[in-house]
Each structure stands twice: as structure tokens, then as C-alpha cells.
Amino acid sequence: VTRHMEKDFSRYDLIVARESISYEMLKKCNPNTILACDPAFNLEAEYLPLPEKFIAGRTVGINLSPLIQKSESEKGITLLNYRTMIRHIIETTDYNIALIPHVVCEGNDDRIPLNILFHEFEESGRICMIKDCDCRQLKGYISKCCLFIGARTHATIAAYSSAVPTLVIGYSTKAKGIARDLFGSDEHYVLPVQQLRQENDMKKAFDWLNVNRNQIVEHLHKIIPGYSGTIKEAVKNIQNLES
């Protein structure tokens, strides 16, 4: 944190940090800092009919964004890891795969890399592409997955809050912070894109998630109600500022 940033942060009457790593840093700059979950943890899901190849509870949801590709340590290593992991899922499990875009704006469209993967594995007969829809409908699809591998923060929050075991392909502090707040550690739950070195890195992380799936589901069912409730304290603090 630069001195200029510290001075800027100190000017606010209230700062709400959504994960503990940022909270600890911001608290040093401004004592009026509190910790509360991202409001997206409380988003209501909307359930649309599932595509033919989307089998509820037996489908791995996969999200990939151009944003993380820009942060990769070696050009092409991210897409290579996704490709290797998908092939591994098809060859060694009976899961189907749903490719789920979460951001589709020009210049940052998840559909571009996901379409590459869809066309490569379409002949397997076990992969589908979810069309663009609103955040509640996307959460509905994600909630029906047995496992989720995602790059977009709010896609992974949709999975966490639906008790879906999740591997975050992260690039920033927020991914690690949210995982630590939920599990006590980001190890096994966050794979920084900058650390992708071998084409099997993501495949290995998927295997750990799959083996520990039941325990993760149980843990999320226990922790999410209390965790998502922390937003109420943030609302009270904001209301106090307005009164």
C-alpha cells in the first residue's frame, strides 16, 4: 500500500472489506473498516430447464475468463491446463461438463475461450455450453453442478454459496482471502494462474477436489449460513451513517 493510497483510504467514514486479507491491510489505514461477506453470497438463484447434457449432480461446471489468461506466466498455459483437465474428466470419470460464461462484455468475453474448449470436446457427447443469462439464472445452473472450477469471483461465490465444491483459478488477493475465510486456508481451493507451470497442474487440483468432495459439501453447508449473515452487520453500519 502506497502512502497516497493510505491517505485516500483514511478519508472514508466506512470501508467494508469482503475478505480478511484486504481487511487486515485496510484496517491499518482506517479504523472504520469492517469485514463482511460479498453480498453475492446472498443472491437468490433462479432455475431454468437444464440442457440435455447437463445432468444435475453429475456435471462439472467450468468457467474460464480472458482476464486470467492475461496474468498467466507462460503464454497458452491456462488453456492447456483446462484442456488437459477436461480430457482427464472425460476419460476417468462419468461426469458431464457444463461450460459456464459469467462475463460476456466486449474485450472480456468468457465465451471466446470457452467456445474453443467446447468445439474441441463436442464430439465426446458429454459437454454443453450455457448461454448468456442473468446472474440469478447462472447461479441456478452452477448450483446444480457436482463440482465447479471457475475464474470469475462471482461465479465461484455462486458455487460456494450453493455448497458446491469449488476450485478457484485465481489471479488476485480476493480469491485467497475468501477461501481462507471459508476453509481456514486457500491451499487446494485456489490455484493462482501465475503458478501454472505444467499442463497437469489443474488436473491434479481437480483430483483433490473430487476426492474430498463430500467433506467440502458438508463443511459449506455448516459455514455458509453464518458467513453469509455477516452482511447484515455491514447494512447496519451503512444505515447508521445515513441516520
Side-chain angles (χ1 to χ4, degrees):
V1 180
T2 65
R3 290 183 179 178
H4 179 75
M5 292 170 66
E6 287 181 351
K7 183 178 179 180
D8 185 46
F9 289 142
S10 69
R11 296 169 51 241
Y12 292 90
D13 295 318
L14 176 67
I15 297 176
V16 182
R18 60 179 168 180
E19 41 78 20
S20 56
I21 297 177
S22 297
Y23 167 77
E24 294 296 338
M25 180 273 292
L26 290 166
K27 189 75 171 177
K28 294 176 182 178
C29 303
N30 188 330
N32 300 319
T33 300
I34 63 172
L35 176 63
C37 74
D38 190 302
F41 273 91
N42 291 280
L43 180 71
E44 293 286 338
E46 180 180 339
Y47 303 99
L48 298 178
L50 297 177
E52 180 184 356
K53 295 181 175 64
F54 194 130
I55 303 169
R58 299 301 300 171
T59 298
V60 179
I62 292 179
N63 167 255
L64 167 59
S65 77
L67 192 60
I68 64 164
Q69 290 179 289
K70 294 177 182 178
S71 301
E72 61 188 9
S73 60
E74 178 184 332
K75 186 173 176 59
I77 191 67
T78 306
L79 195 61
L80 177 60
N81 264 267
Y82 271 87
R83 184 181 292 119
T84 301
M85 179 183 64
I86 290 173
R87 185 179 299 111
H88 175 65
I89 293 170
I90 291 172
E91 292 177 351
T92 65
T93 77
D94 62 355
Y95 297 148
N96 279 14
I97 295 164
L99 304 177
I100 306 178
H102 210 264
V103 174
V104 298
C105 62
E106 186 176 352
N108 193 17
D109 193 334
D110 295 355
R111 294 172 297 186
I112 293 175
L114 289 175
N115 268 318
I116 293 173
L117 295 171
F118 176 74
H119 291 303
E120 286 186 14
F121 294 98
E122 185 177 9
E123 290 186 0
S124 71
R126 289 167 55 189
I127 192 167
C128 65
M129 182 85 164
I130 300 299
K131 296 180 180 179
D132 180 36
C133 50
D134 72 34
C135 58
R136 294 167 301 170
Q137 294 164 345
L138 288 170
K139 183 169 184 176
Y141 285 123
I142 291 170
S143 72
K144 299 298 183 180
C145 296
C146 59
L147 300 163
F148 188 74
I149 293 86
R152 297 287 184 183
T153 297
H154 288 97
T156 60
I157 287 175
Y160 284 144
S161 57
S162 303
V164 176
T166 301
L167 171 66
V168 182
I169 310 303
Y171 66 94
S172 63
T173 299
K174 60 187 175 184
K176 290 185 176 181
I178 293 172
R180 290 180 189 180
D181 292 344
L182 289 173
F183 302 103
S185 170
D186 59 273
E187 185 179 5
H188 297 303
Y189 301 101
V190 178
L191 179 58
V193 66
Q194 300 92 333
Q195 293 181 16
L196 294 177
R197 296 287 187 272
Q198 306 295 326
E199 67 175 275
N200 291 329
D201 289 341
M202 201 177 296
K203 182 185 81 170
K204 293 176 182 177
F206 166 83
D207 282 340
W208 186 91
L209 193 74
N210 191 30
V211 167
N212 293 278
R213 173 188 166 194
N214 291 337
Q215 297 95 306
I216 296 170
V217 169
E218 184 179 349
H219 175 76
L220 287 171
H221 276 303
K222 289 179 179 178
I223 198 170
I224 288 297
Y227 180 78
S228 61
T230 60
I231 197 67
K232 295 178 182 178
E233 189 63 28
V235 171
K236 289 180 182 179
N237 278 267
I238 293 170
Q239 291 172 335
N240 288 338
L241 290 178
E242 296 174 342
S243 60

